[in-house]
Short mmCIF file of all heavy atoms in Angstrom, two decimals:
data_model
loop_
_atom_site.label_atom_id
_atom_site.label_comp_id
_atom_site.label_asym_id
_atom_site.label_seq_id
_atom_site.Cartn_x
_atom_site.Cartn_y
_atom_site.Cartn_z
N SER A 250 -0.18 12.43 9.38
CA SER A 250 -0.71 13.60 10.02
C SER A 250 -1.40 13.29 11.31
O SER A 250 -1.47 14.17 12.18
CB SER A 250 -1.77 14.28 9.05
OG SER A 250 -2.97 13.59 9.04
N LEU A 251 -1.75 12.02 11.54
CA LEU A 251 -2.40 11.62 12.72
C LEU A 251 -1.43 11.03 13.71
O LEU A 251 -1.75 10.43 14.83
CB LEU A 251 -3.44 10.56 12.46
CG LEU A 251 -4.72 11.04 11.64
CD1 LEU A 251 -5.52 9.89 11.24
CD2 LEU A 251 -5.47 12.15 12.43
N GLY A 252 -0.10 11.09 13.49
CA GLY A 252 0.89 10.58 14.29
C GLY A 252 1.30 9.09 14.16
O GLY A 252 1.93 8.60 15.01
N GLY A 253 0.79 8.60 13.03
CA GLY A 253 1.22 7.10 12.86
C GLY A 253 2.66 6.96 12.46
O GLY A 253 3.29 7.85 11.92
N ALA A 254 3.13 5.82 12.69
CA ALA A 254 4.55 5.53 12.34
C ALA A 254 4.80 5.51 10.84
O ALA A 254 3.85 5.10 10.10
CB ALA A 254 5.00 4.16 12.89
N GLU A 255 5.92 6.11 10.45
CA GLU A 255 6.23 6.16 9.01
C GLU A 255 6.21 4.69 8.36
O GLU A 255 5.79 4.52 7.34
CB GLU A 255 7.53 6.80 8.73
CG GLU A 255 7.81 7.12 7.25
CD GLU A 255 8.99 7.95 6.98
OE1 GLU A 255 9.70 8.31 7.97
OE2 GLU A 255 9.26 8.38 5.82
N ALA A 256 6.76 3.79 9.12
CA ALA A 256 6.84 2.39 8.55
C ALA A 256 5.38 1.91 8.30
O ALA A 256 5.16 1.21 7.33
CB ALA A 256 7.51 1.53 9.42
N SER A 257 4.45 2.22 9.15
CA SER A 257 3.03 1.89 9.07
C SER A 257 2.39 2.55 7.87
O SER A 257 1.77 1.79 7.02
CB SER A 257 2.23 2.15 10.33
OG SER A 257 0.86 1.76 10.10
N ALA A 258 2.66 3.79 7.70
CA ALA A 258 2.16 4.60 6.57
C ALA A 258 2.69 4.07 5.29
O ALA A 258 2.00 3.92 4.25
CB ALA A 258 2.48 6.03 6.67
N ASP A 259 3.97 3.66 5.27
CA ASP A 259 4.57 3.09 4.02
C ASP A 259 4.06 1.74 3.71
O ASP A 259 3.68 1.48 2.54
CB ASP A 259 6.10 2.91 4.28
CG ASP A 259 6.87 4.26 4.25
OD1 ASP A 259 6.19 5.30 3.83
OD2 ASP A 259 8.05 4.24 4.59
N SER A 260 3.74 0.94 4.72
CA SER A 260 3.18 -0.41 4.50
C SER A 260 1.83 -0.27 3.89
O SER A 260 1.36 -1.02 2.96
CB SER A 260 3.24 -1.22 5.74
OG SER A 260 2.65 -2.50 5.58
N VAL A 261 1.06 0.59 4.47
CA VAL A 261 -0.34 0.80 3.94
C VAL A 261 -0.35 1.34 2.56
O VAL A 261 -1.12 0.78 1.72
CB VAL A 261 -1.08 1.90 4.90
CG1 VAL A 261 -2.43 2.31 4.25
CG2 VAL A 261 -1.34 1.23 6.22
N ALA A 262 0.55 2.34 2.19
CA ALA A 262 0.59 2.87 0.91
C ALA A 262 0.96 1.82 -0.12
O ALA A 262 0.39 1.78 -1.22
CB ALA A 262 1.56 4.09 0.85
N ASP A 263 2.01 1.03 0.25
CA ASP A 263 2.46 -0.01 -0.65
C ASP A 263 1.39 -1.00 -0.98
O ASP A 263 1.14 -1.40 -2.18
CB ASP A 263 3.69 -0.69 -0.03
CG ASP A 263 4.46 -1.50 -1.09
OD1 ASP A 263 5.35 -0.95 -1.82
OD2 ASP A 263 4.18 -2.70 -1.17
N ALA A 264 0.69 -1.37 0.04
CA ALA A 264 -0.42 -2.32 -0.14
C ALA A 264 -1.56 -1.76 -0.99
O ALA A 264 -2.15 -2.45 -1.96
CB ALA A 264 -0.95 -2.79 1.19
N ILE A 265 -1.90 -0.42 -0.82
CA ILE A 265 -2.98 0.17 -1.56
C ILE A 265 -2.58 0.25 -3.02
O ILE A 265 -3.34 0.00 -3.94
CB ILE A 265 -3.40 1.49 -1.01
CG1 ILE A 265 -4.00 1.33 0.36
CG2 ILE A 265 -4.30 2.25 -1.86
CD1 ILE A 265 -4.33 2.60 1.18
N ILE A 266 -1.36 0.70 -3.27
CA ILE A 266 -0.84 0.93 -4.61
C ILE A 266 -1.01 -0.52 -5.40
O ILE A 266 -1.43 -0.55 -6.52
CB ILE A 266 0.61 1.41 -4.78
CG1 ILE A 266 0.70 2.83 -4.29
CG2 ILE A 266 1.16 1.13 -6.05
CD1 ILE A 266 2.07 3.33 -4.06
N ARG A 267 -0.72 -1.62 -4.76
CA ARG A 267 -0.58 -2.87 -5.42
C ARG A 267 -1.87 -3.76 -5.27
O ARG A 267 -1.86 -4.82 -5.88
CB ARG A 267 0.66 -3.69 -4.86
CG ARG A 267 1.92 -2.86 -5.14
CD ARG A 267 3.14 -3.79 -4.74
NE ARG A 267 3.24 -4.97 -5.69
CZ ARG A 267 4.09 -6.05 -5.48
NH1 ARG A 267 4.90 -5.99 -4.48
NH2 ARG A 267 4.10 -6.95 -6.27
N HIS A 268 -2.97 -3.31 -4.69
CA HIS A 268 -3.95 -4.10 -4.32
C HIS A 268 -4.81 -4.58 -5.56
O HIS A 268 -5.59 -5.61 -5.40
CB HIS A 268 -4.95 -3.49 -3.19
CG HIS A 268 -5.99 -2.58 -3.78
ND1 HIS A 268 -5.88 -1.27 -3.87
CD2 HIS A 268 -7.34 -2.89 -4.14
CE1 HIS A 268 -6.94 -0.69 -4.26
NE2 HIS A 268 -7.85 -1.69 -4.39
N GLN A 269 -4.53 -4.02 -6.74
CA GLN A 269 -5.24 -4.58 -7.92
C GLN A 269 -4.18 -5.20 -8.92
O GLN A 269 -4.52 -5.43 -10.12
CB GLN A 269 -6.07 -3.49 -8.65
CG GLN A 269 -7.35 -3.10 -7.86
CD GLN A 269 -8.49 -2.61 -8.77
OE1 GLN A 269 -9.60 -3.06 -8.61
NE2 GLN A 269 -8.10 -1.68 -9.54
N ASP A 270 -3.04 -5.44 -8.41
CA ASP A 270 -2.03 -6.22 -9.27
C ASP A 270 -2.30 -7.56 -9.33
O ASP A 270 -1.49 -8.50 -8.96
CB ASP A 270 -0.58 -5.86 -8.71
CG ASP A 270 -0.06 -4.56 -9.09
OD1 ASP A 270 -0.72 -3.80 -9.88
OD2 ASP A 270 0.97 -4.17 -8.55
N ILE A 271 -3.48 -8.01 -9.75
CA ILE A 271 -3.98 -9.36 -9.70
C ILE A 271 -3.19 -10.28 -10.75
O ILE A 271 -3.17 -11.46 -10.48
CB ILE A 271 -5.50 -9.43 -9.95
CG1 ILE A 271 -6.26 -8.45 -8.88
CG2 ILE A 271 -6.04 -10.81 -9.82
CD1 ILE A 271 -5.93 -8.86 -7.48
N PHE A 272 -2.80 -9.73 -11.88
CA PHE A 272 -2.26 -10.50 -12.91
C PHE A 272 -0.75 -10.65 -12.91
O PHE A 272 -0.21 -11.22 -13.78
CB PHE A 272 -2.73 -9.97 -14.24
CG PHE A 272 -4.20 -9.95 -14.29
CD1 PHE A 272 -4.90 -8.73 -14.36
CD2 PHE A 272 -4.95 -11.10 -14.29
CE1 PHE A 272 -6.28 -8.66 -14.36
CE2 PHE A 272 -6.44 -11.02 -14.43
CZ PHE A 272 -7.05 -9.88 -14.37
N VAL A 273 -0.08 -10.02 -11.85
CA VAL A 273 1.36 -10.13 -11.81
C VAL A 273 1.69 -11.56 -11.18
O VAL A 273 1.27 -11.92 -10.14
CB VAL A 273 1.96 -9.09 -10.84
CG1 VAL A 273 3.42 -9.21 -10.70
CG2 VAL A 273 1.66 -7.67 -11.32
#
């Protein structure tokens, strides 16, 4: 919504989803 690149938004979302996957 702020005009960021889709690839950046995807990278951020992927990292947030996985940031507590400590035991994988």
